[in-house]
Amino acid sequence: MSLLVEKRGAAGWIVFNQPAKKNAISGAMWRAIPPAMGEFDRDPEIRCIVFRGAGIEAFAAGADISEFENVRSERGAVAEYDDLLDRVLHSIQDSLKPSLAMIYGYCLGGGLEIALACDLRYCGTSAEFGIPAAKLGLAYNIEGHKRLLETVGHAWAREIMFLGRRYSAEEGLAMGLVHRVLPAVELERYVDGVIETLCKNAPLAIANTKTILEQYVKSEGTPDTARMRAAIERCAKSADYIEGRRAFMEKRKPRFTGK
Ligand code: COA
């Protein structure tokens, strides 16, 4: 299992540690996040939670695609995987303690979902953002779409999802994906300062803001989740999704047919 969870002073750290795969997030790593968040939530000494990737090449290059054939292919399994992702994102979003993503290098797919679930995002100039679902034929999950939309708005959400391309740190800043871009050598020191401030500021005032903001971003009408799930299922059952993940593993360009 490659998720490192540790306390450093009043900050709880969660580190994606699979450097050989650019810190791609395996099923075991996803599953370990909600208990880690729960532990930090219950610990009165912890005042903020920080996510990062091991090293400086990647925050996380998304979910571990090499597992998709087994754990994210059959109908039931896709729904199960999405439920797991939703639980992970909620464990971060629903925490009343402030969370922060410190981003070096690749921050893609599920990695970006985690970063977007955090309250704050700071990155180095080497950061690259993107959600390559359309390049994999992958049905991206409901909660991930929601947070992306809330953060960057309709226009950017559509471009990010339709093109599946990667964006530089400066582009990420321009579209509101991150709060600040720093030279790589300054990022950790800067984030340490933010952590210090978060740990000194009044926890209940921060928790109050989180509670109120989360209520405001709740959708007014009830979204038609049955319709969303049907769209996800259609994509998850498609030949294109099989082609997309196999092409990635075989290091070739996918040929999509829309079937
Ligand atoms: N899942 C599984 N393995 C991954 C991975 C992922 N999401 N991202 C990278 N890897 C693996 C590569 O397969 C490669 O393995 P290998 O050494 O056995 O060949 C290794 O990590 C290094 O990646 P590589 O592609 O050689 O590095 P790069 O610097 O040329 O490119 C990325 C890095 C992140 C741009 C590229 O690997 C990539 O596009 N990854 C997939 C990103 C993605 O689609 N994520 C969304 C998943 S939902």
Side-chain angles (χ1 to χ4, degrees):
M1 222 280 294
S2 316
L3 194 79
L4 308 177
V5 180
E6 61 171 329
K7 272 170 77 168
R8 274 188 235 158
W13 285 75
I14 299 182
V15 183
F16 302 110
N17 182 33
Q18 197 169 199
K21 290 186 176 177
K22 310 285 181 201
N23 296 328
I25 308 168
S26 65
M29 288 158 79
W30 286 116
R31 279 191 296 279
I33 296 174
M37 286 298 301
E39 214 170 287
F40 289 148
D41 280 342
R42 287 187 298 274
D43 186 336
E45 286 175 2
I46 293 290
R47 304 280 282 267
C48 78
I49 294 137
V50 189
F51 284 83
R52 71 165 294 175
I56 57 168
E57 274 188 26
F59 179 76
D64 188 334
I65 301 168
S66 67
E67 293 183 342
F68 285 6
E69 198 74 29
N70 294 325
V71 300
R72 204 179 186 181
S73 55
E74 296 306 317
R75 229 162 112 178
V78 168
E80 216 174 280
Y81 201 96
D82 284 354
D83 286 348
L84 170 62
L85 254 60
D86 283 353
R87 275 204 308 284
V88 169
L89 300 179
H90 275 294
S91 73
I92 304 168
Q93 289 161 200
D94 297 346
S95 167
L96 290 179
K97 300 187 181 183
S99 52
L100 179 156
M102 180 171 81
I103 303 162
Y104 288 106
Y106 300 117
C107 181
L108 306 174
L112 184 52
E113 284 196 69
I114 296 276
L116 289 174
C118 291
D119 297 305
L120 306 171
R121 287 163 290 285
Y122 301 99
C123 75
T125 43
S126 68
E128 286 191 38
F129 302 97
I131 301 177
K135 292 203 181 297
L136 286 167
L138 174 75
Y140 197 61
N141 57 315
I142 294 177
E143 197 59 40
H145 276 101
K146 179 169 177 286
R147 212 59 171 183
L148 179 69
L149 175 63
E150 286 161 8
T151 310
V152 298
H154 274 281
W156 283 120
R158 278 159 217 258
E159 194 190 283
I160 290 169
M161 296 307 297
F162 292 176
L163 302 190
R165 58 161 277 205
R166 298 205 297 272
Y167 296 87
S168 68
E170 287 303 329
E171 289 175 307
L173 181 66
M175 64 177 88
L177 276 178
V178 287
H179 293 75
R180 200 152 283 125
V181 180
L182 292 127
V185 289
E186 288 171 28
L187 180 61
E188 288 202 35
R189 197 153 46 95
Y190 185 85
V191 166
D192 282 346
V194 175
I195 293 171
E196 201 181 327
T197 305
L198 289 173
C199 292
K200 279 189 187 146
N201 282 350
L204 289 182
I206 292 176
N208 175 56
T209 298
K210 287 202 68 168
T211 305
I212 292 175
L213 292 182
E214 285 300 325
Q215 288 304 311
Y216 271 124
V217 296
K218 277 194 172 162
S219 306
E220 292 250 317
T222 318
D224 187 345
T225 43
R227 194 165 169 182
M228 294 191 220
R229 284 191 203 291
I232 287 178
E233 199 167 294
R234 183 161 176 241
C235 189
K237 281 193 301 188
S238 70
D240 276 354
Y241 175 42
I242 296 174
E243 166 67 4
R245 59 179 188 260
R246 289 197 179 151
F248 177 80
M249 294 310 296
E250 292 162 13
K251 299 188 186 293
R252 60 173 174 81
K253 291 218 178 304
R255 286 177 297 273
F256 294 128
T257 60
K259 302 222 170 66

